[in-house]
Amino acid sequence: MKNKLPRWFASDNHASVHPKIFEAVLSCNKGHAYAYGGDKITEQAQARFKKLFGPKSESYFVFDGTAANVLSLNALLKTHEAVLCAEGAHVTGDECGAFEAFTGSKLLVAPSPDGKLNLDKLSGYIQKKGDQHHVQARVITITQSTEWGTVYSKEELREIKKFKTKNSLFLHMDGARFANACVALGVEAREMIELAGVDVLSFGGTKNGCFMAEAVVFSDTRMASSFKYVRKQGMQLASKMRYISAQFLAYLENDLWIKNATHANSMAKKLSQKLSLVPGVEFVQNPQANALFVRIPKSWNNTVFKNTYFYIWNTSENICRIMTSWDTQDKEIEHLAKIMRNCSKSK
Amino acid sequence: MKNKLPRWFASDNHASVHPKIFEAVLSCNKGHAYAYGGDKITEQAQARFKKLFGPKSESYFVFDGTAANVLSLNALLKTHEAVLCAEGAHVTGDECGAFEAFTGSKLLVAPSPDGKLNLDKLSGYIQKKGDQHHVQARVITITQSTEWGTVYSKEELREIKKFKTKNSLFLHMDGARFANACVALGVEAREMIELAGVDVLSFGGTKNGCFMAEAVVFSDTRMASSFKYVRKQGMQLASKMRYISAQFLAYLENDLWIKNATHANSMAKKLSQKLSLVPGVEFVQNPQANALFVRIPKSWNNTVFKNTYFYIWNTSENICRIMTSWDTQDKEIEHLAKIMRNCSKSK
Amino acid sequence: MKNKLPRWFASDNHASVHPKIFEAVLSCNKGHAYAYGGDKITEQAQARFKKLFGPKSESYFVFDGTAANVLSLNALLKTHEAVLCAEGAHVTGDECGAFEAFTGSKLLVAPSPDGKLNLDKLSGYIQKKGDQHHVQARVITITQSTEWGTVYSKEELREIKKFKTKNSLFLHMDGARFANACVALGVEAREMIELAGVDVLSFGGTKNGCFMAEAVVFSDTRMASSFKYVRKQGMQLASKMRYISAQFLAYLENDLWIKNATHANSMAKKLSQKLSLVPGVEFVQNPQANALFVRIPKSWNNTVFKNTYFYIWNTSENICRIMTSWDTQDKEIEHLAKIMRNCSKSK
Amino acid sequence: MKNKLPRWFASDNHASVHPKIFEAVLSCNKGHAYAYGGDKITEQAQARFKKLFGPKSESYFVFDGTAANVLSLNALLKTHEAVLCAEGAHVTGDECGAFEAFTGSKLLVAPSPDGKLNLDKLSGYIQKKGDQHHVQARVITITQSTEWGTVYSKEELREIKKFKTKNSLFLHMDGARFANACVALGVEAREMIELAGVDVLSFGGTKNGCFMAEAVVFSDTRMASSFKYVRKQGMQLASKMRYISAQFLAYLENDLWIKNATHANSMAKKLSQKLSLVPGVEFVQNPQANALFVRIPKSWNNTVFKNTYFYIWNTSENICRIMTSWDTQDKEIEHLAKIMRNCSKSK
């Protein structure tokens, strides 16, 4: 299987790079350019971000999503302050302790069945404000769309904003799949930021058609005053930055980022419609972005994984994550649905 | 000036990407591939590294040189152990404290006029072995070629190897310009490693024709046992790693890396020959790789920087770093020499 | 209330210092002594620890319990490795993030209603061994007696030993109240260590009659090889160490530590017998050492706290922690029981 | 020798505890008291500090001097900011990397022959302000009296204040021997603070008659807003704090701290007068507080160390540190002088 992996359903991280992104990178490969972000392409890309997120915003480019999350949070925290997050958040479960190692701070985790932060579960942490024995809650981080393929509704975002304001907290959004969330909610970038009161955003490009392009976007430039040092100290300052910036230029041009996400989401919807008709396939989350979480009978596994590829998220319950991406094709959707239907029949 | 930067002399980091590197990256952009280094291209690139550095070696790809240095050192250290380095080493002077922030350890710095480590200056640190009040020397790091454009001789490397063996230390080599050093010394990669007894190497691709490709190479795979966690925790695990690996594939193919460095070094030699004939230009280091450090009269600055670009390394003494790269052209060399000659005459 | 606090029930940390401890400290105050642990008194105290914990053990004295925990764990961990602990463990809930700040590592927390570690809840963490995206479980920490006043049984300790052996983990025991646990279980120090397979113990003196005396005890001296640096780097090397060591000398002399704990535990038992007869007082934990956790009606609070003092552990449920110490007196027990009985009647 | 160490000259850390300090500690040992600094004794001691350092000041008690230094600096720094210090400063040379381990920040060290900070040597660091590749200078730390027994003059302190103001830096003073410095300069505590513009002071008690009592004193309470968390996270919050606070109460009562230091300094002066008459004894530093640094012929070592004890600070040059303390006696001074005179004669 490892040898001939077509466009299957394991991850949007497995997808290739969009041709327009490549063209842009190629076209910036002329002569010398200032290193470390002093070049023209970076200037232009940053200007695009300012257009997208408003004149008070400020953006910094980094290599990967883990760094975007950890450095964003680091910028908002002192070591004795803490971050509130949902169980299952990438920053606590999938980044090999990068947050703790780099910030020295603590994550305070609230149980969550669907990847969303349950505000009621946070009251214990909030009550400990002022007590020297306890880290002090300072930042909320939410993932939009979540690691479980769900999307915070506008109402949920407004609740979070109220909560953060009331408790004098900052809000970080892990937007590794920000594009998919904007499309799912039908909101523009800035509206998403304002709805939730996002202070810093991890804005992902890699999963949605780029090859290595993530941005840290501050809503208010005043919060970014020392971020250039944080980024360099965090080992995330690209010397030949134009090759990241060029990706973003193309990514934001003519809403390519929105188009890619629209495609991925619609493929997921199509697939979920097909699978919902297959007896034996049980949806464990409401698929709102580009990921489906379904439980299938273990007896199907052999047949399924002989013919396609995706991850079993929970082995004991045989819950699978099926993910679409900017390059998923109709025939692939149909191919997967067919496999499932066959399993269902022969059961 | 910022708008029309041709191939000048500020840095090999300002250089563009070699066409063959680009081709390789483009050609790997097909269909889905396993993320996080599980793909075929990465497997092939790692096999190339094994060929280059020997069957016991093991290589890990990261985004940038600062990370290659810091994570390499981190793999060799406990927090109470320390790294011995020369004043002017990139890791202590130019990485915004990434080493201290990520490892929590201490750098013990020895004065150095030429970027090389003076072993005699280290005895004080060695004497403190066993004393609980002092961090314990554990690793030596040297940069080859150095930040001052010099290259450790074979004899110097052998001395370092003796010293590290005698004192039970590890050796890290910052090889951001490893290629230039190999060419300058006329040794193959493995010979360099063996001469000095390098335990871990930061192997640079970015400055020599790649756009984002650095590797951490362990000489003995047993030392690398937990490095995959260190890399992820260090926020340096690329999700779409094939796009880094493809760069390395092309970089090592047909000795492109050696060819690029040979060109850069020979351009530096050509330039140094020309400049050595210009009264008023004073060499402050012996140029052995691809960088020249010269003192020029401050009165020249206006004329010089109207027509070309490089960095003033030391403002008060007007010492300049002039750097060549894989794409430096003969006519550019002549152009710069001419500017200097004119300044010299009109003085 | 703050002005006239007699021997009440808030904490064994509120208790005074045992006269014999004071005498020992006073008697060591003669002439000069080597600093930083090189003195005779420290030598003697360490010898006592060796007698208590076996010839292969090695002990280091530190100032406080938080440090004993964090430095013990630090000695067993690399940054990408993690510690498994129960919800409610002091190290995760009451040390203001000292663990994360000093080690940079992650605590993996299992839900626990009674302060004990539920091994079944740890399987998810164990399954992630070998996966680069996840911190690697390396150490288990348990508190004996627990923060909820419970004590691991011999059988439970044996289970933990099996689990740690099977999964190649280390075991740390937070023994801030080790004495109370030994007394409760009826085992000697060494038996406790062997039952559970403890690798490193935080051995507490402060809560049980000393004023500032905690020890880190390694079961095998080979694991302690670099701990002297960890302690100094952890800011826990006392210059005038004899004044800590003298406390321990007296503490271990003629089993004073056991006598003190026996008294505290028996006072707790006496109190629990009395309170169990009071309608309205509901025990939420089985009191096995020197702490009782009881739910009382909120309507009692006014009367209760006008006459005595202890902590409300859970405000919403009005769960109280009532703690005895080496200096608790019979009449105080009776006094508290009487207050409760009166509340119960007038309800 | 190790067995019968009288009041010799190795260190003020070897000295015993002043009887009045002991009495105070003993007298606070009554009944229960709030833990973690909530007690009456601590309240009183803090009030004394406020009287000494002014109504805007705020003091926190910790266990040891290394912690006082590291936590003070941590309170003033973000991780990417740096501390300027003199070569030989305790924080960089004698604390086993505690600063780097706990703050993750960098120390920028200026060469110094006498323990004092040479402001001219700092300009290079200051010039790097605003450059993302470099840690940003934020705090100056000076030791008063220095590790070489010298004392900054009033004029030198004023220069430092000008420098820090001009460059928007904070100033930390390592006052492990603050008392000796006040006495040497003939200034009161507050005058010292104002002369230099000290923002945070490590105020030492341990070396001058206490057994474990150090304070972190903020000149302006606004800078201390989160220090209680820093202290707890730094593992320096004493549970039974009254036993530290009682030491300080006695220490500050009737200027005991000044009396002790006056004695130590005058003993040092007496000794230096005697030794200056001995041919062969060469002073390498101007003794201004309670330490003498002298070079003696190596041939004397045998005789000297058979009869007394102090440290050889520099083995190759046989430079010795001879230190007096609050309990040094006249006859001991004479005894040491006699040994030296005999060596000198028999040479």
Side-chain angles (χ1 to χ4, degrees), chain B residues 96-114:
Chain B
C96 200
F99 173 82
E100 289 84 356
F102 192 68
T103 71
S105 295
K106 199 174 176 73
L107 289 162
L108 300 173
V109 182
S112 165
D114 59 0

Side-chain angles (χ1 to χ4, degrees), chain D residues 60-130:
Chain D
Y60 292 81
F61 305 154
V62 297
F63 297 113
D64 65 321
T66 291
N69 285 343
V70 172
L71 300 190
S72 292
L73 293 171
N74 190 60
L76 304 176
L77 284 176
K78 292 177 190 157
T79 311
H80 65 273
E81 295 173 336
V83 174
L84 301 161
C85 73
E87 193 186 16
H90 201 266
V91 73
T92 188
D94 299 287
E95 302 183 353
C96 199
F99 173 81
E100 288 85 355
F102 192 68
T103 70
S105 294
K106 198 173 177 75
L107 290 162
L108 300 173
V109 182
S112 165
D114 59 0
K116 295 185 186 172
L117 193 64
N118 185 327
L119 298 179
D120 294 340
K121 298 265 164 69
L122 302 178
S123 61
Y125 299 127
I126 299 296
Q127 281 166 22
K128 284 167 178 170
K129 277 226 161 178

